[in-house]
Amino acid sequence: MEGIRTIHAALLGAGTVGSGVYKVVQRQKEEMPFKTGANLEISKVLVRDASKERPGIPKELLTENWEDILSDPEIEIVIEVMGGMEPAQTYMLEAMKAGKHVVTANKDLLAEHGKILMETAKANRVDLMFEAAVAGGIPIIRPLKNSLAGNNITEVMGIVNGTTNYILTKMSKEGMDYQEALDLATELGYAEADPTADVEGLDAGRKMAIMASIAFNSRVTFADVYTEGITKITSEDIRYAREFGYEIKLLGVARNTETGIEVKVHPMLISADHPLASVNDAFNAVFVHGDAVDDTMFYGRGAGELPTASAVMGDLIDEVRHIIGNTIGCNVCGCYKQLPIKEIGDSKSRFFMRVQVEDRLGVLAGIASVLGNNGVSIAQVVQKRSKKEGMAELVVITDEVVERHFQDALTVFCSMSTVKEVSSLIRVYQ
Ligand code: NAP
Ligand code: HSE
């Protein structure tokens, strides 16, 4: 629209998310003046290789030189969607020091260096927004920071990685093998540049650190999060879990307990009746429990080009409104507490175990007694015939036990001559 101010922004990155953001900014072109009181224009796009074709993005906007953006006084917003630690961190810090607002989807950086980024934003009276960093298109950062700020939040948990949820869904519902499902998730733009971050639970761990920091008002970094991925989950585990009435999901759980903050990401059996059990494909869902609101649930697409661009665009619209309303510099880091972090060994879990044992009289009773004598009681057990002669497979679900005690019991259990192998060990959500 002519006759009103145009706010200029630069995109750092034109991959899955960057190209989505460019598209959504174009789609919203006519609406922007009505929504914000200004036009929004992406006037430069930083990439590694400017000679590569970028469908939909005019070639003249592309640059390989960060200085072109940093030194351009017209650019008021920098949208960092290139990913990784460096040079992304340097660029974001330099942009804020130059008075530019930053919108980012970079959970890796926020989960490790959130403090310095927030402090730099505050010192330079600029905004740092990151709705897209957690759970793709689902609005969860703003609800935690604003709408639910009147609560003492005690738990944030859910499915926060699209790639692994897609893989587990395909393995579980379509019998697809792990690698084929991962290749498809990569092709669809869900996976990180290095998908190890997804399948080993690191990406989910970073998102949990960010959410826990905001929810509990106490800094939690990625190093504080216990992580395990899905690479050891087999189709047998999925099948047996089903027989017991469970689905297997990669869950992130953050709890603010009387003895400290517990933050972990690992595969879990979750009852088929639980709403999270039917969150499939690249969808994510986050549960938040607060002392006033009770339970809330947020659900939507957790990864991909346009859902993630939707979250970035929300931040951009907010930022343009801030600039027009002259309300810049409203960043306040909410981490005013210093709560201790609990070790995984001190948390309590139930366990699902698949164990190969000798198939003879009294073995099951012996196993139950060794586990029982070491403080682990069995809630459910099923014996399966093994393909190997003279062997049987036991599928066990324990009652709740302190993890440290369980590991001690497991050491004794594994030393029994009748126990040949623990094939799987997965926690059970309650
Ligand atoms: P991507 O497809 O790999 O795209 C990265 C883009 O950044 C590419 O255009 C690349 O340029 C550019 N780039 C990378 N390093 C650069 C450097 N040193 N200098 C200049 N340009 C550089 O990644 P993505 O999936 O869009 O993810 C981007 C960010 O969003 C990451 O932080 C990711 O964790 C986050 N995120 C992704 C999703 C998702 O669903 N994919 C969802 C939420 C958040 P070239 O094209 O020239 O190589
Ligand atoms: N790789 C991430 C995922 C992208 O699969 O969830 C969204 O953060």
Side-chain angles (χ1 to χ4, degrees):
M1 191 184 283
E2 282 177 28
I4 62 163
R5 191 169 156 189
T6 295
I7 306 292
H8 294 266
L11 254 182
L12 312 189
T16 303
V17 181
S19 53
V21 171
Y22 193 84
K23 266 184 212 160
V24 176
V25 168
Q26 298 315 304
R27 279 188 192 177
Q28 288 288 312
K29 208 178 170 82
E30 304 300 320
E31 307 282 322
M32 276 304 279
F34 301 103
K35 288 184 178 173
T36 66
N39 297 305
L40 173 67
E41 195 174 306
I42 297 207
S43 44
K44 290 198 171 87
V45 180
L46 182 76
V47 287
R48 265 182 300 226
D49 178 3
S51 67
K52 218 160 91 183
E53 199 56 43
R54 317 272 167 177
I57 303 181
K59 218 171 175 62
E60 63 274 17
L61 300 190
L62 301 178
T63 174
E64 294 175 9
N65 185 1
W66 163 239
E67 282 298 322
D68 284 351
I69 292 168
L70 182 64
S71 62
D72 184 340
E74 231 182 24
I75 293 174
E76 293 184 74
I77 309 173
V78 166
I79 311 157
E80 187 279 307
V81 284
M82 53 193 268
M85 305 301 268
E86 282 296 348
Q89 172 162 231
T90 302
Y91 292 175
M92 283 163 68
L93 292 173
E94 287 180 354
M96 291 191 281
K97 286 177 188 161
K100 300 181 194 301
H101 305 281
V102 171
V103 171
T104 180
N106 195 327
K107 54 254 168 165
D108 305 34
L109 253 180
L110 289 160
E112 278 182 45
H113 302 294
K115 187 167 189 278
I116 178 76
L117 291 167
M118 302 269 180
E119 283 172 357
T120 306
K122 189 176 179 199
N124 292 280
R125 294 188 53 74
V126 293
D127 283 323
L128 171 67
M129 297 201 187
F130 49 91
E131 186 59 72
V134 177
I138 304 177
I140 186 64
I141 299 297
R142 266 184 196 71
L144 286 174
K145 271 191 172 179
N146 302 328
S147 328
L148 297 173
N151 286 262
N152 288 316
I153 295 175
T154 47
E155 184 172 30
V156 179
M157 63 82 64
I159 295 170
V160 292
N161 182 269
T163 303
T164 45
N165 205 40
Y166 184 85
I167 295 171
L168 290 173
T169 305
K170 293 289 164 200
M171 284 173 74
S172 162
K173 309 266 181 231
E174 295 174 27
M176 201 179 270
D177 79 32
Y178 170 85
Q179 192 56 47
E180 193 187 348
L182 172 58
D183 292 346
L184 265 175
T186 307
E187 212 176 292
L188 290 165
Y190 302 149
E192 294 301 301
D194 175 2
T196 313
D198 295 292
V199 298
E200 294 297 354
L202 315 181
D203 176 81
R206 289 170 179 134
K207 292 165 177 168
M208 292 309 297
I210 296 169
M211 286 196 292
S213 299
I214 301 170
F216 307 145
N217 299 111
S218 185
R219 175 85 45 216
V220 176
T221 67
F222 176 54
D224 298 323
V225 185
Y226 174 84
T227 54
E228 263 178 44
I230 61 159
T231 50
K232 293 191 191 125
I233 302 292
T234 65
S235 44
E236 280 86 7
D237 295 327
I238 294 173
R239 190 155 43 83
Y240 289 150
R242 279 246 172 93
E243 284 181 22
F244 280 103
Y246 293 93
E247 294 289 338
I248 299 180
K249 296 286 183 190
L250 183 75
L251 296 186
V253 180
R255 291 189 181 118
N256 188 4
T257 73
E258 282 181 0
T259 49
I261 294 178
E262 189 179 299
V263 197
K264 51 199 187 177
V265 169
H266 44 60
M268 281 187 125
L269 269 70
I270 187 155
S271 168
D273 297 339
H274 193 285
L276 285 181
S278 44
V279 172
N280 289 320
D281 296 317
F283 281 86
N284 285 188
V286 182
F287 275 73
V288 181
H289 183 85
D291 63 345
V293 73
D294 202 54
D295 285 324
T296 54
M297 179 179 172
F298 301 81
Y299 170 80
R301 289 195 180 273
E305 183 191 22
L306 292 179
T308 311
S310 158
V312 173
M313 191 66 199
D315 281 351
L316 284 172
I317 288 176
D318 232 13
E319 192 49 63
V320 173
R321 287 175 180 153
H322 284 187
I323 295 172
I324 293 300
N326 204 19
T327 55
I328 51 168
C330 59
N331 255 301
V332 183
C333 173
C335 295
Y336 55 85
K337 296 181 189 169
Q338 286 176 339
L339 301 173
I341 303 289
K342 266 171 82 171
E343 294 278 326
I344 181 79
D346 295 328
S347 65
K348 287 182 183 167
S349 290
R350 293 170 67 206
F351 287 89
F352 161 98
M353 284 199 285
R354 212 153 52 76
V355 194
Q356 312 305 321
V357 296
E358 280 181 14
D359 188 11
R360 57 183 165 76
L361 202 68
V363 168
L364 183 53
I367 283 171
S369 125
V370 165
L371 285 176
N373 291 341
N374 285 278
V376 178
S377 87
I378 293 177
Q380 280 171 282
V381 61
V382 170
Q383 181 168 342
K384 303 272 179 189
R385 201 160 285 286
S386 168
K387 283 178 200 136
K388 284 194 198 140
E389 188 62 33
M391 298 290 289
E393 184 166 58
L394 292 183
V395 188
V396 176
I397 294 185
T398 72
D399 282 323
E400 191 176 70
V401 52
V402 173
E403 292 232 358
R404 203 182 296 290
H405 298 163
F406 179 77
Q407 293 304 336
D408 292 345
L410 199 62
T411 308
V412 182
F413 174 72
C414 289
S415 67
M416 291 174 74
S417 62
T418 49
V419 174
K420 297 303 169 203
E421 183 188 87
V422 176
S423 310
S424 304
L425 195 57
I426 309 171
R427 293 168 182 84
V428 181
Y429 184 77
Q430 60 254 312

